[in-house]
Amino acid sequence: MADAASEETLDNLLREDREFPPDPAFTAQAVGTADLYDQADADRETFWADQARERLTWSTDFTQTLDWSEAPFAKWYADGRLNAAYNCVDRHVEAGHGDRVALHFVGEPGDTRDITYAELLDQVKRAANVLLESGVSKGDRVAIYLPMVPEAVVAMLACARIGAPHSVVFGGFSADALRSRIADAEAKVVITADGGFRRGKPSGLKPAVDEAVADSPSVLKVLVVKRTEQDVAWNDDKDVWWHEALEAASAEHTAEPMEAEHPLFILYTSGTTGKPKGILHTTGGYLTQAAYTNAVVHDVHPESDVYWCSADVGWVTGHTYIVYGPLANGATQVLYEGTPDTPHQGRWWEIIEKYKVSIFYTAPTAIRTCMKWGKDIPEKFDLSSLRVLGSVGEPINPEAWVWYRQVIGGGKTPVVDTWWQTETGAIMISALPGVTALKPGSAQIAVPGISVDVVDEQGNSVDNGHGGYLIIDKPWPSMLRGIWGDPERFKETYWSRFEGIYFAGDGAKKDEQGNIWVLGRVDDVMNVSGHRLSTTEIESALVSHPKVAEAAVVGATDATTGQAVCAFVILRGDAVQEADEPGEGEDLVAELRNHVAKEIGAIAKPRQILVVAELPKTRSGKIMRRLLRDVAENREVGDVTTLADSSVMDLIQQGLAKPA
Ligand code: 6R9
């Protein structure tokens, strides 16, 4: 990573002079304070013991904070006992907050439901009883395949309540993907719905479940939420309507305390090759870091804030920052079923105005899409209730960061760029909005209690101003406890690159102040004529051109240079027409290539720039560069089952087939 050319190009990317110090009025009320860093530095384990006791209710206190004797398999708070659902629901009702709204649900067709903590408790208790009656006991796995409806939250908490680890599978995944995940976890029950609403239409879920369950011997029952009222096939032996079962079930259920290391959930994430990995998280450590980071990074004040995380519950962000973190903290939040542009491109901003959302957490890809639609759209709405904005999932390029703060945040809100992974369970690197002077484009520094670094090939810490591999060198409470059923793969994937150190798979760079700039997966780093170039860096340069809305860059095999830079760009409104005029398209491509050369250097100039209407993205908003690489290398396009919209690849290829 550390050759001279890469240093030079990285420096261009990192020449970001803008800095936004916290507003003193914000600092005065902030949950996350500067002394947290001192406390954590003084004694990390005491710090995490304090967080666990302060933020959660334990039925049995723990005597040992961390047991690392069987590294890399950590045990946190091992002899303590607690129930995650009790912590997310019961205790808020017991504390007199039963009337507080837990979820402002907004359905895509416009239906709304407010669910208080008392109502949520009633639902979770009934659902727990239904699961028990369906043959699920502590330790059994339950698959959840639902749209973004309150029942998804209820189902997850009901599992947690009885100690049955859940495996949430994206509603957008295929029957095959669902079947392999059910099989890997040997799930006993599947919780699904007839369908969900997406882009103005009901889309079915039950047919995929029927297909998957036909070949799944472990599944005893399928609980079906009625959402779209579509006709569904019915198997009387297995299928049960959720609403009927809940109504018939007892509303009495006492949450059973679980060992802190009892499995809470499995969440599958794609590996670079082969079958998806079932990332395993346990109860006490995960919930501690989920609640802590949600409080100090998002600055949640449960009595006054309205919080909204736009992720899907099928993604880790939905697990930690819709379900476990905010509910453990007793927050009020928005849960929205659909897409940001249904029925119009101002839908999100309309929701923020209506519910006076004060904290909003979304992904860079969504922000760039909104930039493409133009600022006139959010400007039609009153967004003055917003006081904290967050970003997650990819590096956020400085242009998008500044737009987010200016246009959505009214030029005043802090924007926290949060780096973490399914594997880390909760936020690891982020500014604290009341403490840190913000630098657009950088995730900045580890949150108090967390220790990360950037190292070279040999695992030695690099100096400020240099790049390398992002690692985590001390165990953390919400760390994955393994890959379901495959301890060897766990050691091999995360712990073998550097001795005793967790390697996250990302490349990063420290700037002169020691801020961390995440450059993307190391497999997204290209090698062009021996120079290492980051895809993120070139994408950022392209997006800084006024005519470009979004860009994806891949390295395609090239006979001369080893790899060559191939860029796919989506243009902004006016530029689209211009590119369609005869001869103009070529001029535009030349202009963009020169722009990259000017921003980064001639070495980074894309060999090819293809103008496209859409980019292939997963439901969590990550660009699937693997598919673009197939296009760039004239190969048949690989597996598209994890795309949010699988027709995108057809469009891109048709576009290429058109004469230039
Ligand atoms: C939470 C989540 C993890 C990967 C991670 C990195 C990328 C996430 C980022 C970021 C730069 C950020 N990533 N947040 N890159 N800046 N703020 O996204 O989990 O789906 O497991 O993805 O996403 O490459 O390694 P997951």
Side-chain angles (χ1 to χ4, degrees), residues 364-608:
T365 178
I367 299 162
R368 288 192 295 265
T369 303
C370 294
M371 284 174 77
K372 178 175 67 182
W373 294 336
K375 66 178 174 20
D376 302 0
I377 294 170
E379 275 171 0
K380 287 194 203 108
F381 299 90
D382 177 5
L383 306 180
S384 61
S385 55
L386 287 169
R387 48 176 216 90
V388 182
L389 298 174
S391 171
V392 58
E394 284 178 89
I396 175 164
N397 50 295
E399 292 317 309
W401 193 104
V402 170
W403 188 92
Y404 194 25
R405 175 178 163 107
Q406 288 307 122
V407 178
I408 307 305
K412 64 177 175 38
T413 56
V415 174
V416 283
D417 175 6
T418 62
W419 178 90
W420 59 294
Q421 307 175 293
T422 306
E423 292 87 341
T424 70
I427 295 170
M428 303 294 281
I429 305 178
S430 172
L432 292 187
V435 180
T436 324
L438 301 167
K439 278 233 153 189
S442 166
Q444 304 200 279
I445 53 170
V447 296
I450 296 299
S451 178
V452 303
D453 202 356
V454 179
V455 299
D456 64 18
E457 295 281 348
Q458 285 72 43
N460 301 316
S461 180
V462 303
D463 292 337
N464 286 353
H466 294 266
Y469 301 95
L470 183 59
I471 55 104
I472 306 169
D473 55 11
K474 297 204 173 70
W476 64 102
S478 65
M479 67 196 291
L480 75 164
R481 299 303 196 263
I483 295 178
W484 185 255
D486 204 344
E488 278 312 308
R489 190 175 179 196
F490 168 62
K491 289 195 237 167
E492 165 67 32
T493 310
Y494 304 105
W495 303 91
S496 65
R497 180 70 183 76
F498 305 105
E499 180 69 33
I501 284 177
Y502 175 91
F503 171 47
D506 284 336
K509 156 121 183 172
K510 288 192 233 173
D511 69 15
E512 293 302 339
Q513 289 83 45
N515 287 305
I516 291 177
W517 295 70
V518 179
L519 299 170
R521 309 293 301 175
V522 285
D523 44 20
D524 287 342
V525 173
M526 293 168 292
N527 193 321
V528 180
S529 304
H531 301 294
R532 280 171 185 269
L533 297 170
S534 127
T535 53
T536 308
E537 177 187 21
I538 301 175
E539 285 163 9
S540 192
L542 283 164
V543 176
S544 73
H545 190 283
K547 290 181 185 161
V548 176
E550 270 214 80
V553 167
V554 298
T557 314
D558 186 284
T560 334
T561 57
Q563 278 186 312
V565 181
C566 284
F568 295 77
V569 298
I570 303 181
L571 299 177
R572 294 201 195 204
D574 296 351
V576 173
Q577 279 149 27
E578 183 191 321
D580 275 347
E581 280 158 30
E584 296 295 331
E586 284 156 45
D587 288 354
L588 180 71
V589 165
E591 187 179 326
L592 295 181
R593 294 183 72 229
N594 291 333
H595 178 71
V596 173
K598 187 174 110 269
E599 291 286 303
I600 304 175
I603 180 69
K605 218 171 177 178
R607 178 185 76 183
Q608 240 176 324

